[in-house]
PDB file of all heavy atoms in Angstrom:
ATOM      1  N   ASN A  25      26.648  -5.836 -23.921  1.00  0.00           N
ATOM      2  CA  ASN A  25      28.096  -6.038 -24.073  1.00  0.00           C
ATOM      3  C   ASN A  25      28.901  -4.911 -23.431  1.00  0.00           C
ATOM      4  O   ASN A  25      29.915  -5.168 -22.784  1.00  0.00           O
ATOM      5  CB  ASN A  25      28.445  -6.226 -25.553  1.00  0.00           C
ATOM      6  CG  ASN A  25      27.952  -7.566 -26.057  1.00  0.00           C
ATOM      7  OD1 ASN A  25      27.974  -8.559 -25.313  1.00  0.00           O
ATOM      8  ND2 ASN A  25      27.478  -7.617 -27.296  1.00  0.00           N
ATOM      9  N   GLU A  44      26.249   5.936 -22.687  1.00  0.00           N
ATOM     10  CA  GLU A  44      25.164   5.372 -23.500  1.00  0.00           C
ATOM     11  C   GLU A  44      24.364   6.555 -24.037  1.00  0.00           C
ATOM     12  O   GLU A  44      23.928   7.396 -23.263  1.00  0.00           O
ATOM     13  CB  GLU A  44      24.296   4.448 -22.630  1.00  0.00           C
ATOM     14  CG  GLU A  44      22.917   4.136 -23.193  1.00  0.00           C
ATOM     15  CD  GLU A  44      22.929   3.579 -24.617  1.00  0.00           C
ATOM     16  OE1 GLU A  44      23.632   2.596 -24.867  1.00  0.00           O
ATOM     17  OE2 GLU A  44      22.234   4.154 -25.491  1.00  0.00           O
ATOM     18  N   THR A  52      19.072  -3.086 -29.000  1.00  0.00           N
ATOM     19  CA  THR A  52      18.993  -4.542 -29.171  1.00  0.00           C
ATOM     20  C   THR A  52      18.757  -5.278 -27.861  1.00  0.00           C
ATOM     21  O   THR A  52      18.013  -6.269 -27.821  1.00  0.00           O
ATOM     22  CB  THR A  52      20.308  -5.076 -29.787  1.00  0.00           C
ATOM     23  OG1 THR A  52      20.870  -4.061 -30.608  1.00  0.00           O
ATOM     24  CG2 THR A  52      20.066  -6.325 -30.585  1.00  0.00           C
ATOM     25  N   SER A  53      19.390  -4.818 -26.792  1.00  0.00           N
ATOM     26  CA  SER A  53      19.392  -5.610 -25.556  1.00  0.00           C
ATOM     27  C   SER A  53      18.056  -5.622 -24.823  1.00  0.00           C
ATOM     28  O   SER A  53      17.935  -6.280 -23.789  1.00  0.00           O
ATOM     29  CB  SER A  53      20.510  -5.129 -24.632  1.00  0.00           C
ATOM     30  OG  SER A  53      21.755  -5.353 -25.255  1.00  0.00           O
ATOM     31  N   LEU A  59      15.886 -15.030 -23.944  1.00  0.00           N
ATOM     32  CA  LEU A  59      16.318 -16.383 -23.602  1.00  0.00           C
ATOM     33  C   LEU A  59      17.799 -16.406 -23.283  1.00  0.00           C
ATOM     34  O   LEU A  59      18.596 -15.715 -23.939  1.00  0.00           O
ATOM     35  CB  LEU A  59      16.069 -17.337 -24.778  1.00  0.00           C
ATOM     36  CG  LEU A  59      14.617 -17.460 -25.242  1.00  0.00           C
ATOM     37  CD1 LEU A  59      14.527 -18.372 -26.455  1.00  0.00           C
ATOM     38  CD2 LEU A  59      13.737 -17.984 -24.111  1.00  0.00           C
ATOM     39  N   GLY A 363      27.483 -11.166 -31.012  1.00  0.00           N
ATOM     40  CA  GLY A 363      27.316 -11.568 -29.605  1.00  0.00           C
ATOM     41  C   GLY A 363      25.875 -11.844 -29.272  1.00  0.00           C
ATOM     42  O   GLY A 363      24.968 -11.473 -30.009  1.00  0.00           O
ATOM     43  N   LEU A 365      23.039 -12.178 -25.764  1.00  0.00           N
ATOM     44  CA  LEU A 365      22.879 -11.851 -24.341  1.00  0.00           C
ATOM     45  C   LEU A 365      23.527 -12.947 -23.505  1.00  0.00           C
ATOM     46  O   LEU A 365      24.250 -12.686 -22.545  1.00  0.00           O
ATOM     47  CB  LEU A 365      21.399 -11.865 -23.964  1.00  0.00           C
ATOM     48  CG  LEU A 365      20.516 -10.698 -24.297  1.00  0.00           C
ATOM     49  CD1 LEU A 365      19.082 -11.133 -24.126  1.00  0.00           C
ATOM     50  CD2 LEU A 365      20.833  -9.521 -23.417  1.00  0.00           C
ATOM     51  N   THR A 366      23.237 -14.191 -23.910  1.00  0.00           N
ATOM     52  CA  THR A 366      23.663 -15.370 -23.155  1.00  0.00           C
ATOM     53  C   THR A 366      25.164 -15.392 -22.872  1.00  0.00           C
ATOM     54  O   THR A 366      25.590 -15.819 -21.799  1.00  0.00           O
ATOM     55  CB  THR A 366      23.280 -16.640 -23.952  1.00  0.00           C
ATOM     56  OG1 THR A 366      21.906 -16.553 -24.292  1.00  0.00           O
ATOM     57  CG2 THR A 366      23.561 -17.905 -23.178  1.00  0.00           C
TER      58      THR A 366
HETATM   59  C1  FAD B   1      15.182 -10.175 -32.324  1.00  0.00           C
HETATM   60  C2  FAD B   1      16.348 -10.565 -31.477  1.00  0.00           C
HETATM   61  C3  FAD B   1      16.231 -11.639 -30.623  1.00  0.00           C
HETATM   62  C4  FAD B   1      17.335 -12.024 -29.842  1.00  0.00           C
HETATM   63  N1  FAD B   1      17.160 -12.997 -28.926  1.00  0.00           N
HETATM   64  C5  FAD B   1      18.179 -13.358 -28.130  1.00  0.00           C
HETATM   65  C6  FAD B   1      17.982 -14.314 -27.119  1.00  0.00           C
HETATM   66  O1  FAD B   1      16.880 -14.802 -26.882  1.00  0.00           O
HETATM   67  N2  FAD B   1      19.060 -14.652 -26.353  1.00  0.00           N
HETATM   68  C7  FAD B   1      20.290 -14.108 -26.547  1.00  0.00           C
HETATM   69  O2  FAD B   1      21.219 -14.506 -25.859  1.00  0.00           O
HETATM   70  N3  FAD B   1      20.490 -13.144 -27.483  1.00  0.00           N
HETATM   71  C8  FAD B   1      19.466 -12.745 -28.257  1.00  0.00           C
HETATM   72  N4  FAD B   1      19.630 -11.764 -29.193  1.00  0.00           N
HETATM   73  C9  FAD B   1      20.946 -11.148 -29.337  1.00  0.00           C
HETATM   74  C10 FAD B   1      21.177 -10.057 -28.287  1.00  0.00           C
HETATM   75  O3  FAD B   1      19.997  -9.353 -28.024  1.00  0.00           O
HETATM   76  C11 FAD B   1      22.233  -9.079 -28.809  1.00  0.00           C
HETATM   77  O4  FAD B   1      23.353  -9.781 -29.225  1.00  0.00           O
HETATM   78  C12 FAD B   1      22.699  -8.111 -27.724  1.00  0.00           C
HETATM   79  O5  FAD B   1      21.601  -7.491 -27.108  1.00  0.00           O
HETATM   80  C13 FAD B   1      23.610  -7.064 -28.338  1.00  0.00           C
HETATM   81  O6  FAD B   1      24.014  -6.196 -27.316  1.00  0.00           O
HETATM   82  P1  FAD B   1      24.984  -4.984 -27.614  1.00  0.00           P
HETATM   83  O7  FAD B   1      25.373  -4.426 -26.321  1.00  0.00           O
HETATM   84  O8  FAD B   1      26.066  -5.425 -28.530  1.00  0.00           O
HETATM   85  O9  FAD B   1      24.080  -3.978 -28.476  1.00  0.00           O
HETATM   86  P2  FAD B   1      22.941  -2.952 -27.993  1.00  0.00           P
HETATM   87  O10 FAD B   1      22.065  -3.522 -26.977  1.00  0.00           O
HETATM   88  O11 FAD B   1      22.279  -2.418 -29.216  1.00  0.00           O
HETATM   89  O12 FAD B   1      23.767  -1.809 -27.302  1.00  0.00           O
HETATM   90  C14 FAD B   1      24.582  -0.899 -28.006  1.00  0.00           C
HETATM   91  C15 FAD B   1      24.341   0.458 -27.401  1.00  0.00           C
HETATM   92  O13 FAD B   1      25.312   1.373 -27.881  1.00  0.00           O
HETATM   93  C16 FAD B   1      24.719   2.654 -27.867  1.00  0.00           C
HETATM   94  N5  FAD B   1      25.506   3.540 -28.714  1.00  0.00           N
HETATM   95  C17 FAD B   1      25.711   3.428 -30.046  1.00  0.00           C
HETATM   96  N6  FAD B   1      26.499   4.430 -30.476  1.00  0.00           N
HETATM   97  C18 FAD B   1      26.801   5.196 -29.398  1.00  0.00           C
HETATM   98  C19 FAD B   1      27.592   6.383 -29.206  1.00  0.00           C
HETATM   99  N7  FAD B   1      28.212   6.985 -30.220  1.00  0.00           N
HETATM  100  N8  FAD B   1      27.683   6.912 -27.951  1.00  0.00           N
HETATM  101  C20 FAD B   1      27.035   6.308 -26.901  1.00  0.00           C
HETATM  102  N9  FAD B   1      26.283   5.184 -27.040  1.00  0.00           N
HETATM  103  C21 FAD B   1      26.176   4.633 -28.266  1.00  0.00           C
HETATM  104  C22 FAD B   1      23.314   2.384 -28.401  1.00  0.00           C
HETATM  105  O14 FAD B   1      22.398   3.415 -28.050  1.00  0.00           O
HETATM  106  C23 FAD B   1      22.980   1.043 -27.785  1.00  0.00           C
HETATM  107  O15 FAD B   1      22.182   1.174 -26.618  1.00  0.00           O
HETATM  108  C24 FAD B   1      18.559 -11.331 -29.958  1.00  0.00           C
HETATM  109  C25 FAD B   1      18.658 -10.243 -30.832  1.00  0.00           C
HETATM  110  C26 FAD B   1      17.557  -9.842 -31.557  1.00  0.00           C
HETATM  111  C27 FAD B   1      17.650  -8.638 -32.430  1.00  0.00           C
END
Side-chain angles (χ1 to χ4, degrees):
N25 289 324
E44 162 54 53
T52 330
S53 297
L59 301 177
L365 281 166
T366 308

